[in-house]
């Protein structure tokens, strides 16, 4: 997945040329030093990719011309990561790695032991979105995950019925991975550094969220995220064949 | 796994009291502020744990007195991570996460595209060892992984016969996870940011290393490590029933 990639949300349609935003133009031409004639993959974050040539290497409005179109199917397992807010750099790492692994959505959640209070959630979400776009570029993931402002755990649980839900848990009683029955849509809950409280675990259980173990050692949040996601996506492979 | 943990390699035997090294005393008393009478778990990194009380909270030579002894079996799947050297902080993250997940050994390897040359490998290994000890403390892992100086990929391959070996690969042809046959001892190879070279992949294949896919997206090294390790340990769970 070497080479240049640019994010163009308005790619769908019949146009042959697309102008990049100022941000994407800057990233492509100034940061990555693409020049006229270079091959650039443009993606819309919804599975559509164009193979293009850079026609105008303008730092503010680069122009790409389409050579070929490719469409990636929606991931067969659609995973939403419901993740307790954690400290800055760790959360950035989680956003990137969850995007690399192919989640379709990330929902930051407020928990009893979440220590972080955002001053400007709206601006933070915009910053997170830019990080997800960057992770899509780096990993070649054609599906950009959605991300929203943090909500309390209970609010999110009330709104997310219909999905299979699992929670990475340190409790004694968990469902063995080979007994899990997961639907196409899965929500994975991962708690904060201090873990979910007992009340929160009770609430998760009442809402039908299955507790799964990630082994006997205590994993940091970011390790729990990739470990659990890796297994959820493997379940898919297993079921598929 | 809250509470204090101290590393005592010389725990085995019949003594009732153990004196911590200066480093461990400092960590326990100065950094973590343990005081006389506090409960401390001492572990030797080979599965043995003592529940102790801190008898002398000396910053240079703290003394622990044994209350109870516990022995953890050797992990039933013994995994060695053969990892291309990568840039500083990423490598630190990999060391920590591999320890959390329970590998028994880490072998840094030199590859064609590894850009890092250590000035003082011996000192570096000592620093890495300290990081592994810290990760054992944080995660409660009673088995301290071994780590050695970097060696060329070919040297390591020649020395590691007998294990099942797999490599996280971006090649087109890989072995499906559900068809993998893994023995008790597994070596997992993960390449550098620029991936293994074709020559290296050929060499791995010739040595019987099975290539496995971690999905269609391109994962950073640290994501590939936890993703692959998570699956290797899950295979164990699956086989175990």
């Amino acid at each position: 997945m070497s080479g240049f990639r640019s994010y163009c949300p308005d790619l769908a349609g019949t146009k042959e040329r697309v102008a990049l935003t100022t941000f994407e133009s800057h990233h492509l031409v100034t940061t990555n030093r693409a020049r006229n004639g270079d091959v650039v993959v443009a993606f819309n974050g919804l599975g559509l990719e164009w193979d293009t040539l850079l026609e105008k290497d303008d730092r503010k409005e680069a122009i790409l011309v389409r050579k070929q179109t490719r469409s990636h199917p929606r991931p067969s397992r659609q995973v939403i990561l419901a993740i307790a807010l954690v400290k800055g750099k760790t959360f950035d790492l989680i956003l990137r790695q969850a995007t690399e692994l192919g989640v379709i959505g990330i929902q930051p959640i407020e928990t009893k032991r979440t220590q972080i209070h955002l001053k400007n959630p709206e601006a933070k979400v915009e910053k997170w979105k830019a990080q997800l776009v960057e992770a899509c570029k780096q990993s070649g993931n054609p599906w950009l995950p959605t991300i929203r402002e943090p909500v309390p755990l209970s609010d999110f649980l009330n709104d997310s019925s219909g999905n299979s839900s699992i929670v990475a848990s340190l409790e004694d009683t968990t469902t063995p991975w080979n007994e899990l029955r997961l639907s196409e849509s899965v929500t994975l809950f991962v708690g904060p550094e201090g873990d979910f409280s007992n009340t929160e675990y009770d609430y998760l259980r009442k809402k039908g969220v299955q507790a799964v173990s990630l082994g006997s050692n205590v994993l940091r949040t970011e390790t729990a995220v990739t470990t659990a996601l890796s297994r959820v996506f493997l379940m898919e492979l297993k079921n598929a064949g």
Side-chain angles (χ1 to χ4, degrees), chain A:
Chain A
M1 201 58 58
S2 61
F4 304 112
R5 290 179 71 84
S6 293
Y7 173 56
C8 309
D10 57 349
L11 210 59
T14 56
K15 295 173 290 179
E16 295 231 314
R17 279 178 174 68
V18 66
L20 298 182
T21 60
T22 308
F23 183 87
E24 287 294 320
S25 299
H26 175 83
H27 189 260
L28 181 66
V29 179
T30 309
T31 310
N32 289 335
R33 301 182 189 189
R35 290 295 171 262
N36 285 344
D38 280 342
V39 174
V40 177
V41 174
F43 70 103
N44 76 345
L46 293 166
L48 183 63
E49 282 181 352
W50 284 10
D51 289 336
T52 72
L53 292 184
L54 178 53
E55 192 178 63
K56 190 178 155 204
D57 53 11
D58 190 289
R59 285 154 192 260
K60 291 192 176 159
E61 194 185 37
I63 308 278
L64 305 175
V65 55
R66 179 176 65 183
K67 291 296 160 190
Q68 211 168 339
T69 300
R70 212 174 15 252
S71 189
H72 296 271
R74 213 172 154 76
S76 49
R77 168 143 291 149
Q78 292 163 35
V79 181
I80 292 171
L81 173 65
I83 173 78
L85 264 181
V86 290
K87 269 179 276 175
K89 281 193 180 170
T90 301
F91 201 72
D92 296 345
L93 177 65
I94 289 170
L95 293 185
R96 171 164 69 71
Q97 294 192 307
T99 304
E100 289 175 42
L101 291 173
V103 303
I104 62 151
I106 297 169
Q107 178 59 61
I109 51 177
E110 296 162 7
T111 70
K112 199 184 159 198
R113 293 178 189 147
T114 298
Q115 303 288 335
I116 294 143
H117 299 282
L118 301 176
K119 282 177 193 165
N120 185 345
E122 218 168 306
K124 198 67 170 183
V125 169
E126 286 310 307
K127 198 195 131 208
W128 288 336
K129 277 185 186 163
Q131 290 175 283
L132 299 182
V133 167
E134 180 60 26
C136 276
K137 285 184 196 171
Q138 297 252 353
S139 65
N141 180 357
W143 287 90
L144 177 67
T146 57
I147 190 162
R148 298 203 172 79
E149 286 183 24
V151 295
L153 175 64
S154 51
D155 291 8
F156 180 65
L157 270 168
N158 287 330
D159 290 347
S160 63
S161 56
N163 282 12
S164 320
S165 298
I166 61 176
V167 56
S169 172
L170 290 167
E171 295 171 300
D172 289 334
T173 311
T174 55
T175 305
W177 281 89
N178 57 0
E179 291 177 14
L180 274 183
R181 290 290 165 264
L182 299 179
S183 62
E184 259 181 31
S185 300
V186 175
T187 304
L188 166 68
F189 291 87
V190 177
E193 291 298 329
D195 208 359
F196 289 115
S197 70
N198 287 337
T199 313
E200 287 169 334
Y201 270 125
D202 284 344
Y203 196 64
L204 286 160
R205 231 187 323 269
K206 271 184 203 148
K207 290 286 177 175
V209 181
Q210 304 169 87
V212 292
S213 164
L214 300 174
S216 54
N217 299 336
V218 178
L219 307 184
R220 295 263 192 111
T221 305
E222 67 273 25
T223 314
V225 166
T226 51
T227 300
L229 284 177
S230 167
R231 291 181 176 193
V232 169
F233 285 113
L234 183 66
M235 295 288 123
E236 171 187 45
L237 298 176
K238 210 174 74 175
N239 295 345

